Amino acid sequence: MKKLLTFLFLMLLLAVASGIFWWQSNKKALVKNQIENAVTKATDSAYFIHYDSSNIDELTGNATFYNIVMQSDSLQKLSYLKDTAGIPATIFNIRIQKLQLIGANIPSFVNKNTIETNSIEITKPVITIIQTGATDESKFTAADTLALYEKLIGKFKSVKAGEIKIIDANISFTNHKQIPKTNLEGINISLKNFAIDSTKNYDNIISYFIKDVVATVAKIDIINQSSNKLLRFQQTEYNAIEKFLKIDKITQSDIISNRTLMQLSKNKIVGISTNAFILNKQLKADSLITNGGELVIYKKKNASSKKETIEMDNDFFDEASLKNIAIGSTNITIYNYNDKNETPLILKNVQFKATNIDNVYAGTNIMRLISNSNWKLSGDGTSFFSKDNMYKINIGAFLLDNYNTVTTCKSVEVLPVLSETKFAKQLRVQKDRYDLRVKNISIENLDFKKLIGESVLVADAASLSPVFNIYNDKTVKEDLSSKVGKYPQQLLQKLTTKVYIKKIMINDGYINYKEKGEFSKDIGEVYFTALNGNVTNFTNMAKYIQTNNIMKVDVSCKFLNVAPVSTAWQLPLNSSSGSFTISGKVGSFDATKLNAVAEPLGLVSVKNGRINSLTFEMNGNNYKATGEAVLLYDNLQLTLLKKVAGEVDLKNQGALSALANVFIKNKNPTNGNTRKGDMAFNRVINKSFFNLIWKSIFAGAKSSTK
């Protein structure tokens, strides 16, 4: 009996030893067959899987598989032939350099019940997802991700892992034979406490992966094949637990022209919904914060309304919803979509903050994006040239504050490119040369919603300090074209932009007019300093004109920096005749101060005299002005001048000067009688509005001297 037991024990030991030897000799093949069969059954023989080698230690539960490949040659062939009948919407090609399981339950794995392991480490996986065109290609759908889930885990009831690490992965999305439209490189993922089983209904398996994951991606490229745009994210970090996404650099470029359309650095999205971002291409988050960089947008003329709008390229997101945006220093380049040759407008150091902004849709109008939000936009300004390249326009530092409804701009300048002499030489007919500078611009209660949504400027008040220098060379051939219909109030009505500013305040302005005399060839100069005043009811909008049809201008200044001047203008905004009313008063000054103007332009010199006051009232229209002027003066003496060929200085006309002083009374009033002058003057239709005004005032003043 003892021998029998010994024999049986030896046989059992031999059997166990044989079993162990057999297991050690065949375990790799068994596990390999188990894996291959699981994939084959799970995919109805559409996919196959194989790997080069493995190391398995069933005692410790450690297993390592090398160079794993899972793909479907048959489905891929049908996709290339564009035979979508009977094939899924997506095909997967998966290659993994190394797959390591630590602390795995090998028996459970072999029996196909569960996958249980302490850790799964996947090194350098390369996954290509081919969208066949069988369904909508624009989104990675629930069906796609569930299919990927089944192909990866087969028919196992559950998968549990204490930690999953993915090291240096690459994922590409492509269509048929086309280059990948989305490519992710250098993916590193750490996922804790992963658990999934077949009893749960997962609408989208990726939605599970992104709940507790921490991931970094070296580079993400997204190609929009319809618009030939490339969107690139560099050094991306996603933390699902803390709900933030950091992107070191975002770049968008045009593939054909290689032009950079957007480049933003140090970007952070807080409170992000990654489900919406990854699955539905929807950007939904609390805040977007970026240091800024470069941005290209387009101004585009609407075919129906013929108005220009500003658009941004937003092809990559179907919808975006952000509560707050903070953009740091950014240079914005604005191109004319309808004229590719037009020099772009560049805004420097633009900074933008917004809260509670509206949804933004693909290809959205940027105006609609911020029309109903609280936002603030500032920048260093910009420079550009006029269409005829005769002027450079500079816009200084600006602030647009929608929350406080305030807009400020340090300066706006319209500067001539050519000197006065060079400007006149290139003219065919007389034309004013402008040198315009407006400083300290402020607009209160500007209705940004109307401005952005309807291109209508409505504000309660504006203030500014103008400095205007105007030059005209009368030696150039006269422009005989009619200027009828070009009074200030008439030009206002012709503006394409609708505007209403209740009150414009002019502070410490300056106006200088220089003219080269036709006969004297000398320069005459008139200037007004300390210019202050108000313009009320500045509008070309019918609803405001119906309520009040008069634009008023009340201005005070100093004439030639010596004589106080005050004027009041009433300009009807709905008059077809160009009617207007102007009244004014000029205070006391030394009459010889007029020689700076009178000698080169009028060939008259004031030898003596004092102007005590000049008052006037006139009514006018497109063709004439009438009214009355009263010039009060003392001891007025004049000299008539002439230009002699070869002489630099003007010469006294002698007898004519004496005769002129006989007919001109040397003071007003005389013997208690105050003479009033008739201001009747017929307009020369090729002359400007201001020519009619000063000619009429001069006519009235001259009439007062007789």
Side-chain angles (χ1 to χ4, degrees), residues 77-116:
K77 182 178 180 181
L78 290 174
S79 174
Y80 286 165
L81 296 173
K82 296 188 178 180
D83 182 3
T84 58
I87 66 171
T90 52
I91 300 172
F92 303 92
N93 287 337
I94 302 172
R95 295 175 181 270
I96 301 174
Q97 186 181 91
K98 184 174 74 171
L99 173 62
Q100 186 175 21
L101 286 76
I102 299 174
N105 187 334
I106 300 297
S108 175
F109 177 77
V110 173
N111 292 327
K112 294 178 57 180
N113 292 323
T114 61
I115 297 176
E116 297 179 359

Side-chain angles (χ1 to χ4, degrees), residues 398-419:
F398 61 87
L399 168 67
L400 286 75
D401 187 342
N402 182 45
Y403 182 75
N404 295 303
T405 61
V406 171
T407 299
T408 62
C409 183
K410 185 176 181 180
S411 63
V412 175
E413 299 176 333
V414 180
L415 306 179
V417 175
L418 301 176
S419 66

Side-chain angles (χ1 to χ4, degrees), residues 35-265:
I35 293 172
E36 291 176 352
N37 290 336
V39 172
T40 301
K41 290 179 180 179
T43 62
D44 297 325
S45 301
Y47 284 82
F48 69 87
I49 187 170
H50 68 80
Y51 51 88
D52 290 347
S53 60
S54 64
N55 291 320
I56 301 173
D57 185 344
E58 70 281 2
L59 296 179
T60 61
N62 297 339
T64 306
F65 303 90
Y66 298 93
N67 298 323
I68 303 169
V69 176
M70 187 189 82
Q71 64 185 48
S72 174
D73 292 342
S74 59
L75 292 178
Q76 199 159 323
K77 182 178 180 181
L78 290 174
S79 174
Y80 286 165
L81 296 173
K82 296 188 178 180
D83 182 3
T84 58
I87 66 171
T90 52
I91 300 172
F92 303 92
N93 287 337
I94 302 172
R95 295 175 181 270
I96 301 174
Q97 186 181 91
K98 184 174 74 171
L99 173 62
Q100 186 175 21
L101 286 76
I102 299 174
N105 187 334
I106 300 297
S108 175
F109 177 77
V110 173
N111 292 327
K112 294 178 57 180
N113 292 323
T114 61
I115 297 176
E116 297 179 359
T117 182
N118 293 333
S119 174
I120 299 175
E121 189 172 287
I122 303 171
T123 303
K124 291 191 175 181
V126 178
I127 302 174
T128 302
I129 301 172
I130 304 170
Q131 294 180 314
T132 65
T135 59
D136 181 13
E137 298 176 351
S138 64
K139 294 180 181 178
F140 193 48
T141 64
D144 298 331
T145 51
L146 287 171
L148 177 59
Y149 160 68
E150 291 181 354
K151 289 167 182 54
L152 288 173
I153 71 168
K155 297 296 184 180
F156 291 102
K157 293 180 180 179
S158 66
V159 178
K160 294 181 180 180
E163 181 181 20
I164 295 178
K165 289 184 178 179
I166 299 176
I167 302 170
D168 197 16
N170 289 345
I171 300 177
S172 297
F173 294 79
T174 186
N175 301 331
H176 306 299
K177 295 181 180 180
Q178 296 177 357
I179 62 173
K181 65 177 184 178
T182 303
N183 192 53
L184 295 84
E185 298 179 8
I187 304 169
N188 292 281
I189 298 175
S190 175
L191 178 61
K192 303 287 187 180
N193 302 316
F194 178 80
I196 188 170
D197 62 64
S198 58
T199 63
K200 295 181 181 179
N201 179 22
Y202 293 94
D203 292 333
N204 199 309
I205 193 65
I206 286 185
S207 66
Y208 179 86
F209 279 84
I210 61 182
K211 290 185 184 299
D212 299 305
V213 70
V214 175
T216 61
V217 186
K219 185 173 71 172
I220 304 172
D221 283 350
I222 304 173
I223 296 176
N224 187 311
Q225 294 164 339
S226 62
S227 63
N228 292 308
K229 301 291 193 312
L230 169 64
L231 183 65
R232 174 169 291 171
F233 302 90
Q234 292 175 268
Q235 301 303 325
T236 300
E237 177 187 355
Y238 169 65
N239 189 311
I241 300 170
E242 297 186 18
K243 295 184 178 180
F244 73 76
L245 179 68
K246 291 181 180 178
I247 306 171
D248 185 65
K249 184 180 289 186
I250 301 175
T251 306
Q252 186 183 41
S253 58
D254 187 292
I255 298 172
I256 297 176
S257 67
N258 201 32
R259 174 188 290 170
T260 298
L261 303 177
M262 175 177 64
Q263 185 168 294
L264 303 174
S265 62

Side-chain angles (χ1 to χ4, degrees), residues 331-403:
N331 293 335
I332 299 178
T333 304
I334 304 175
Y335 288 92
N336 187 339
Y337 185 88
N338 303 103
D339 186 357
K340 307 298 183 183
N341 296 321
E342 182 178 304
T343 303
L345 180 69
I346 299 175
L347 301 174
K348 297 181 179 180
N349 190 28
V350 175
Q351 299 182 51
F352 179 76
K353 292 183 179 180
T355 59
N356 301 319
I357 65 175
D358 276 353
N359 286 354
V360 48
Y361 299 92
T364 191
N365 184 318
I366 197 171
M367 301 303 188
R368 190 169 61 248
L369 166 65
I370 56 178
S371 62
N372 293 316
S373 17
N374 296 324
W375 55 268
K376 183 185 293 186
L377 177 71
S378 64
D380 286 348
T382 185
S383 297
F384 56 95
F385 288 92
S386 59
K387 287 186 177 181
D388 59 7
N389 290 317
M390 297 300 292
Y391 294 92
K392 184 179 181 181
I393 294 92
N394 298 323
I395 298 176
F398 61 87
L399 168 67
L400 286 75
D401 187 342
N402 182 45
Y403 182 75

Side-chain angles (χ1 to χ4, degrees), residues 564-576:
V565 177
S566 61
T567 61
W569 310 49
Q570 294 195 42
L571 308 173
L573 299 172
N574 58 352
S575 171
S576 59

Side-chain angles (χ1 to χ4, degrees), residues 318-532:
D318 294 330
E319 181 181 346
S321 178
L322 293 162
K323 295 179 182 177
N324 308 289
I325 292 179
I327 301 176
S329 178
T330 301
N331 293 335
I332 299 178
T333 304
I334 304 175
Y335 288 92
N336 187 339
Y337 185 88
N338 303 103
D339 186 357
K340 307 298 183 183
N341 296 321
E342 182 178 304
T343 303
L345 180 69
I346 299 175
L347 301 174
K348 297 181 179 180
N349 190 28
V350 175
Q351 299 182 51
F352 179 76
K353 292 183 179 180
T355 59
N356 301 319
I357 65 175
D358 276 353
N359 286 354
V360 48
Y361 299 92
T364 191
N365 184 318
I366 197 171
M367 301 303 188
R368 190 169 61 248
L369 166 65
I370 56 178
S371 62
N372 293 316
S373 17
N374 296 324
W375 55 268
K376 183 185 293 186
L377 177 71
S378 64
D380 286 348
T382 185
S383 297
F384 56 95
F385 288 92
S386 59
K387 287 186 177 181
D388 59 7
N389 290 317
M390 297 300 292
Y391 294 92
K392 184 179 181 181
I393 294 92
N394 298 323
I395 298 176
F398 61 87
L399 168 67
L400 286 75
D401 187 342
N402 182 45
Y403 182 75
N404 295 303
T405 61
V406 171
T407 299
T408 62
C409 183
K410 185 176 181 180
S411 63
V412 175
E413 299 176 333
V414 180
L415 306 179
V417 175
L418 301 176
S419 66
E420 293 174 350
T421 302
K422 290 182 178 180
F423 182 88
K425 282 184 177 180
Q426 56 84 43
L427 295 176
R428 292 186 299 105
V429 294
Q430 290 177 19
K431 188 176 183 180
D432 287 337
R433 174 187 178 272
Y434 297 101
D435 184 331
L436 312 178
R437 304 160 197 256
V438 182
K439 301 177 181 179
N440 304 321
I441 303 167
S442 177
I443 304 176
E444 298 178 8
N445 293 324
L446 176 61
D447 191 330
F448 285 106
K449 187 173 181 179
K450 284 187 176 295
L451 179 64
I452 294 168
E454 304 174 29
S455 297
V456 175
L457 195 158
V458 175
D460 283 348
S463 63
L464 49 89
S465 299
V467 177
F468 293 170
N469 292 280
I470 306 164
Y471 173 77
N472 193 297
D473 190 334
K474 294 301 181 182
T475 66
V476 177
K477 181 181 177 182
E478 188 175 9
D479 182 3
L480 298 179
S481 62
S482 173
K483 290 184 171 58
V484 173
K486 295 184 179 181
Y487 287 174
Q489 70 273 31
Q490 293 171 325
L491 293 175
L492 174 60
Q493 303 311 305
K494 294 176 182 179
L495 283 178
T496 55
T497 300
K498 294 300 180 182
V499 58
Y500 170 73
I501 303 177
K502 188 175 182 180
K503 184 177 183 180
I504 300 175
M505 292 164 283
I506 302 170
N507 304 309
D508 195 24
Y510 173 84
I511 297 178
N512 178 289
Y513 178 77
K514 289 200 298 185
E515 185 178 293
K516 186 174 183 179
E518 179 181 2
F519 302 105
S520 70
K521 306 298 189 292
D522 292 332
I523 302 295
E525 184 175 8
V526 179
Y527 56 92
F528 301 87
T529 59
L531 185 69
N532 295 280

